[in-house]
Amino acid sequence: MPRLGWMAGFVPLLYPVLVHAAVVTRSSDLRFLALAILVVNVLGPWLVHGRVAAWIGAIALIAAAAVAVHAAGELMFLYATPVLVCIALAWFFGRTLLPGRTALISRLASAIRGPLPPPVARYTRGVTVFWCATMVFMALANLALAVFAPVELWSLCTNFLNYAVVGVLFVAEWFVRQRAIGDYEDMNWRQYLTALRRVDYRMLRHG
């Protein structure tokens, strides 16, 4: 089981590399491997816990991937993935902005520091809006790249640049936070990252 847990943490990093290699080399074998890794990536938490339905579903989807790589439009699966992932993340952030709900970043901040002062609650709600809008923009950009850009450029942007942009925005938000609510922030960068690692993210799905 620990080995499966390590694999579940590794496959998200492996997928974009495999997709780009498949695109550059025009290899159907790599396209199949990328799709198989995508299935494991999506179902990973349930596979790690030995859910029989997840294992059956994974086997069925991987078999479908083997058929898909021989179809004329097999790249559509790869084109669709970054668009659908961004849409899903936009929904994940956006649904917590509905009336009667607590914004996702506010929940995360509460899990780290307890009840939030009003200025912090307002700021974290604004950050949730920002990430929701960012995911919508990235979904549209990924769709435009899939339709209009050469496949190699699409792959570079969706499999590498997207992750770099998210990383830069994540770090930039930290500096914005120091200026916006610095009086309420008592953790340095290292303490903040440590606190994020300790959060039980399953609780963020509720509330």
Side-chain angles (χ1 to χ4, degrees):
M1 191 67 70
R3 183 176 300 176
L4 285 176
W6 178 86
M7 289 176 62
F10 178 71
V11 290
L13 302 178
L14 185 58
Y15 173 74
V17 175
L18 281 173
V19 171
H20 189 66
V23 165
V24 171
T25 63
R26 305 292 197 275
S27 169
S28 59
D29 290 337
L30 287 177
R31 284 198 294 269
F32 164 71
L33 188 55
L35 291 172
I37 287 293
L38 176 61
V39 171
V40 175
N41 193 6
V42 172
L43 297 179
W46 295 277
L47 296 176
V48 167
H49 289 91
R51 302 291 176 83
V52 175
W55 281 96
I56 293 174
I59 292 171
L61 289 171
I62 290 173
V67 175
V69 296
H70 298 292
E74 76 277 3
L75 281 177
M76 291 302 296
F77 291 93
L78 303 181
Y79 282 139
T81 298
V83 176
L84 294 176
V85 167
C86 288
I87 290 174
L89 288 172
W91 173 82
F92 190 58
F93 283 100
R95 70 190 180 98
T96 66
L97 297 169
L98 295 174
R101 298 202 173 198
T102 302
L104 182 63
I105 303 302
S106 300
R107 296 184 201 174
L108 179 59
S110 296
I112 293 174
R113 57 180 298 161
L116 302 181
V120 178
R122 288 193 297 271
Y123 174 80
T124 52
R125 181 177 177 83
V127 174
T128 304
V129 172
F130 168 78
W131 281 115
C132 180
T134 298
M135 291 302 115
V136 171
F137 175 81
M138 291 180 69
L140 294 174
N142 291 337
L143 179 60
L145 286 166
V147 174
F148 299 111
V151 66
E152 293 82 1
L153 177 60
W154 164 83
S155 182
L156 283 172
C157 291
T158 58
N159 292 306
F160 300 105
L161 183 60
N162 278 0
Y163 295 98
V165 168
V166 169
V168 169
L169 291 177
F170 178 77
V171 174
E173 187 275 321
W174 166 262
F175 290 102
V176 171
R177 184 188 320 170
Q178 301 310 302
R179 296 182 64 87
I181 55 170
D183 293 341
Y184 300 94
E185 188 63 59
D186 56 359
M187 289 187 292
N188 59 35
W189 177 250
R190 180 176 298 180
Q191 292 170 331
Y192 174 61
L193 293 180
T194 299
L196 288 177
R197 287 196 297 269
R198 292 176 176 172
V199 171
D200 181 3
Y201 286 90
R202 292 172 297 181
M203 66 171 288
L204 299 182
R205 296 177 298 185
H206 309 289

